[in-house]
Amino acid sequence: MAQNKIVTLAHGGGGTASAELTEKVFMPALSNPILESLSDGALFDPPKNGRLAFSTDSFVIDPIFFPGGDIGSLAVHGTVNDIAVCGGIPKYLSAGFVIEEGFLIDDLERIASSMGEAAKKCGVAVVTGDTKVVPRGKVDRLFINTSGIGFVPEGVNISPENVKEGDAVIISGSIGDHGMAVLTKRKGLEFDTEILSDSQPLNALIEKILKADPGIKMMRDPTRGGLAATLCEIAKSSGNGITINETELPINENVRSVCEILGLDPLHVANEGKLVAFVLPKNAGMVLEAMKSHPAGKDSAIIGTVGGPEAGRVEMKTSFIGNRIIEPLVGDQLPRIC
Amino acid sequence: MAQNKIVTLAHGGGGTASAELTEKVFMPALSNPILESLSDGALFDPPKNGRLAFSTDSFVIDPIFFPGGDIGSLAVHGTVNDIAVCGGIPKYLSAGFVIEEGFLIDDLERIASSMGEAAKKCGVAVVTGDTKVVPRGKVDRLFINTSGIGFVPEGVNISPENVKEGDAVIISGSIGDHGMAVLTKRKGLEFDTEILSDSQPLNALIEKILKADPGIKMMRDPTRGGLAATLCEIAKSSGNGITINETELPINENVRSVCEILGLDPLHVANEGKLVAFVLPKNAGMVLEAMKSHPAGKDSAIIGTVGGPEAGRVEMKTSFIGNRIIEPLVGDQLPRIC
């Protein structure tokens, strides 16, 4: 679409320009037989048994290109991961674009192509979509909503209600990478080693976990609000206390340094490719081994156990002395992290 | 939430303020057992047979409150209708909110409540959601994405490929109401009779149509781009010409007058509660009767037939003399109509 280098209001009008954007930008990047029907809705067969999982997420990240990813791949990974931590095998995604008039077609092609590659890697298909264009100044560049459908196999039952005293708490790798990658890019900070976002799909890792322990109790991906928010939420909804050990927390050296300089706590910094799992103590070793055998879980670690403080509270045994209460933030350390 | 009258960035941070917004604004308005699980994804049983329909739409309408509706009910009707015209019985919706910092909590409550009422009326449940808040000036007030899942009964097969020469073309009522309601509100134009948007659900009307003619060939709701864009798209994708009769087109008198004053063509103006159906000629009378028996279809009319001009073209027999070629617009007459 070289003759038409920016997105115009006409591209969102539902007329021939809209059709052109779909045909020339989105279809080549995302193409699959269901999407090609170009009807108002995508049609496909339901699973023969088990349940359906359905999730949605809007992505408003700033900047849209960041070290380790972009808004397109992030929008795929985010919804794939939300479905996968429910025990669902992600299958179908929708994509809703809200684009600012004047957005570069080149950038849109790059983002669509990144979505397409991410979808392929995750084994999902973007089967239905929508594009709106709004006048300059009415949206900051580009927002993407993805919603997704997954098939949850019979017998899989992920729920905070399963979490009981004594369960092991496992994290799938280092914390804080995504938030610090976005923050350093946004602030123009430069360090010897660039911090990369951990934006990645977790569905293949979760398939390994479910194979090792089909009765896995609870999983969640600690995104906005970081690991602290996720642990506090699970402590509250399961009615248990949780204790974690600071010395066991995997944190990349450069993330740790930048957090120290800026006075941030990595426990509150967003992740986009990590999960925390709650496992029966007798299965913990087996699950940990399965997680470490997958690239997305190679730095997995048992970081704590259920029990300790009163119900609904999270405590951390610090590396120095005594315990620290972990609480969720009221808001977030930085807006537009995802 | 009287103590906290505007939405702040903290409400989108995934921490305690986010949880408060969910608990105090969204849950009371949208509550249902699946949503109440507050997990990353909603879980439910698939249909025993038939297929699934999946659709998405982002709503960026300006103004967010307009004569005859608001962005909340519109976001429910829009996705419900996209699923229903595929032959799906709409079941589950997701809702993704992107809110500008400073947005009034009162307005958000009003919109959430309007969504809840619309969902109830449509017989669907909002089962999963997401809220993002962006700094002032980074989005214009509020955008909502809804995605939806419907169950398509066995034997129902809606597709432009079914459309053949001789089929009757039926519209479910007057055209152009939504677009002209938004335009007059936005421009502050005042007329003796206020023009109301036709924003309404079509799923109950479509149930009546499917009961009358389970082999109904094709349906679509002519939203952005109006009836002209929809007919041209179906002419193209079905490989047929289509002829419509100007004298048969239902158009409300005030819509016709304002269109004349402003030089707009009602065929290009958006609808949000109308559908166009393609029916075997022998079933047309029966389908028309079924449509007229439902309030959402009381002004239904047979407006044309398949055939006439060459494949892919739409022609209108005018009330004066001769035929007029109907073409889709390149863009739309006005941005942010939905």
Side-chain angles (χ1 to χ4, degrees):
Chain A
M1 297 186 76
Q3 80 286 7
N4 202 354
K5 287 188 168 155
I6 59 166
V7 175
T8 65
L9 288 174
H11 286 120
T16 53
S18 285
E20 196 191 349
L21 198 70
T22 302
E23 278 163 31
K24 299 209 173 155
V25 176
F26 294 122
M27 294 306 293
L30 302 172
S31 191
N32 61 71
I34 302 177
L35 185 64
E36 278 154 25
S37 78
L38 286 180
S39 86
D40 277 341
L43 296 172
F44 44 84
D45 291 327
K48 293 276 172 258
N49 45 46
R51 289 177 297 167
L52 290 169
F54 182 32
S55 189
T56 193
D57 222 338
S58 298
F59 296 85
V60 299
I61 191 166
D62 170 40
I64 54 178
F65 299 103
F66 52 84
D70 60 58
I71 191 171
S73 53
L74 181 69
V76 171
H77 298 156
T79 291
V80 159
N81 291 347
D82 280 347
I83 290 169
V85 294
C86 297
I89 298 163
K91 293 282 185 183
Y92 302 108
L93 294 188
S94 65
F97 298 86
V98 180
I99 311 171
E100 186 180 19
E101 177 190 15
F103 193 82
L104 287 176
I105 295 274
D106 275 354
D107 282 348
L108 195 61
E109 282 177 340
R110 193 173 149 199
I111 287 161
S113 149
S114 165
M115 287 189 87
E117 281 165 29
K120 199 171 170 187
K121 191 176 163 192
C122 297
V124 299
V126 176
V127 292
T128 188
D130 175 59
T131 305
K132 295 289 187 309
V133 181
V134 297
R136 278 175 210 271
K138 300 301 180 187
V139 69
D140 188 19
R141 306 197 68 194
L142 171 70
F143 295 167
I144 302 178
N145 175 284
T146 50
S147 301
I149 296 177
F151 295 174
V152 184
E154 244 170 330
V156 173
N157 176 29
I158 311 290
S159 166
E161 289 171 15
N162 301 330
V163 173
K164 300 282 177 246
E165 186 147 344
D167 287 348
V169 183
I170 309 180
I171 184 91
S172 64
S174 59
I175 60 169
D177 301 278
H178 176 72
M180 296 318 294
V182 173
L183 184 63
T184 52
K185 169 81 180 177
R186 205 187 286 170
K187 302 279 185 200
L189 303 175
E190 285 195 20
F191 300 94
D192 286 351
T193 320
E194 190 182 35
I195 299 178
L196 297 181
S197 166
D198 60 347
S199 174
Q200 63 180 337
L202 295 170
N203 55 325
L205 171 65
I206 289 173
E207 269 182 50
K208 281 207 173 265
I209 295 175
L210 287 173
K211 208 167 168 187
D213 180 8
I216 180 94
K217 295 179 157 201
M218 177 66 196
M219 293 183 284
R220 189 158 288 178
D221 52 334
T223 54
R224 274 187 295 181
L227 183 60
T230 297
L231 291 178
C232 292
E233 210 178 304
I234 295 173
K236 196 176 153 197
S237 54
S238 75
N240 288 284
I242 295 174
T243 307
I244 59 170
N245 300 307
E246 187 171 18
T247 50
E248 304 300 334
L249 278 179
I251 304 176
N252 283 323
E253 208 39 60
N254 48 4
V255 168
R256 191 189 297 277
S257 313
V258 180
C259 277
E260 270 172 21
I261 294 167
L262 300 175
L264 298 173
D265 183 343
L267 277 171
H268 289 128
V269 178
N271 311 282
E272 287 292 345
K274 298 291 150 45
L275 65 86
V276 57
F278 290 75
V279 189
L280 259 186
K282 73 176 173 68
N283 296 342
M286 195 171 59
V287 170
L288 184 68
E289 200 180 319
M291 289 172 73
K292 284 185 158 182
S293 75
H294 189 275
K298 66 180 168 39
D299 298 323
S300 295
I302 298 176
I303 56 167
T305 51
V306 176
E310 59 178 306
R313 303 278 273 180
V314 179
E315 235 172 60
M316 182 164 76
K317 291 186 184 161
T318 67
S319 50
F320 301 105
I321 188 167
N323 291 357
R324 199 186 114 197
I325 300 286
I326 303 297
E327 286 189 316
L329 296 180
V330 173
D332 193 8
Q333 289 162 324
L334 59 164
R336 301 185 63 191
I337 196 67
C338 59
Chain B
M1 298 186 77
Q3 80 288 2
N4 204 355
K5 288 189 168 156
I6 58 166
V7 176
T8 66
L9 288 174
H11 286 121
T16 54
S18 285
E20 198 192 348
L21 198 69
T22 302
E23 278 163 31
K24 299 208 173 155
V25 176
F26 295 122
M27 293 306 292
L30 302 172
S31 191
N32 61 71
I34 302 177
L35 186 63
E36 277 153 26
S37 77
L38 286 179
S39 86
D40 277 341
L43 296 172
F44 44 83
D45 292 327
K48 294 275 172 262
N49 45 45
R51 289 177 297 168
L52 290 169
F54 182 30
S55 188
T56 193
D57 221 336
S58 298
F59 297 85
V60 299
I61 191 165
D62 170 38
I64 54 178
F65 299 103
F66 52 84
D70 60 57
I71 191 171
S73 53
L74 181 68
V76 171
H77 298 157
T79 292
V80 159
N81 291 348
D82 280 347
I83 289 168
V85 294
C86 298
I89 298 164
K91 293 282 185 185
Y92 302 108
L93 294 188
S94 65
F97 298 85
V98 180
I99 311 171
E100 186 179 19
E101 177 190 15
F103 193 81
L104 287 176
I105 295 275
D106 276 354
D107 282 348
L108 194 61
E109 282 176 341
R110 193 173 149 198
I111 287 161
S113 151
S114 166
M115 287 189 87
E117 281 165 31
K120 200 171 168 187
K121 191 175 165 193
C122 297
V124 300
V126 177
V127 292
T128 188
D130 175 59
T131 306
K132 296 290 187 310
V133 181
V134 297
R136 277 174 210 271
K138 301 300 181 186
V139 69
D140 188 18
R141 308 198 67 195
L142 172 70
F143 295 166
I144 302 178
N145 175 285
T146 50
S147 301
I149 296 177
F151 294 174
V152 184
E154 246 171 328
V156 173
N157 176 28
I158 311 289
S159 166
E161 289 172 15
N162 300 330
V163 172
K164 300 282 177 247
E165 185 147 345
D167 287 348
V169 183
I170 309 181
I171 185 91
S172 65
S174 60
I175 60 168
D177 300 277
H178 176 73
M180 295 318 295
V182 173
L183 184 64
T184 52
K185 169 81 179 176
R186 202 188 288 170
K187 301 279 184 199
L189 304 175
E190 285 194 21
F191 300 95
D192 286 350
T193 321
E194 191 182 35
I195 300 177
L196 296 180
S197 166
D198 60 347
S199 175
Q200 64 179 336
L202 296 169
N203 54 325
L205 171 64
I206 289 172
E207 269 182 49
K208 281 206 174 265
I209 295 175
L210 287 173
K211 209 168 166 186
D213 180 8
I216 180 95
K217 295 179 157 199
M218 176 67 194
M219 293 184 283
R220 188 157 288 177
D221 52 334
T223 54
R224 272 186 296 181
L227 182 61
T230 298
L231 291 178
C232 291
E233 211 178 304
I234 296 173
K236 195 176 155 198
S237 53
S238 75
N240 288 284
I242 296 175
T243 307
I244 59 170
N245 300 307
E246 187 170 20
T247 51
E248 304 300 334
L249 278 179
I251 304 176
N252 283 324
E253 208 39 62
N254 49 3
V255 168
R256 190 190 297 276
S257 312
V258 180
C259 277
E260 270 172 22
I261 293 166
L262 299 175
L264 298 172
D265 184 344
L267 278 171
H268 290 127
V269 179
N271 311 280
E272 287 292 345
K274 298 291 152 44
L275 66 85
V276 58
F278 289 75
V279 189
L280 259 186
K282 73 178 173 70
N283 296 342
M286 195 170 59
V287 170
L288 184 68
E289 200 180 322
M291 290 172 72
K292 285 185 158 182
S293 75
H294 189 276
K298 66 179 168 42
D299 298 323
S300 295
I302 297 176
I303 55 166
T305 50
V306 175
E310 61 180 303
R313 304 279 273 180
V314 179
E315 233 171 60
M316 182 164 76
K317 290 185 184 162
T318 68
S319 50
F320 301 105
I321 187 165
N323 291 357
R324 199 186 113 197
I325 297 290
I326 303 297
E327 285 189 317
L329 296 180
V330 173
D332 193 7
Q333 288 161 324
L334 60 165
R336 300 184 63 190
I337 196 67
C338 59

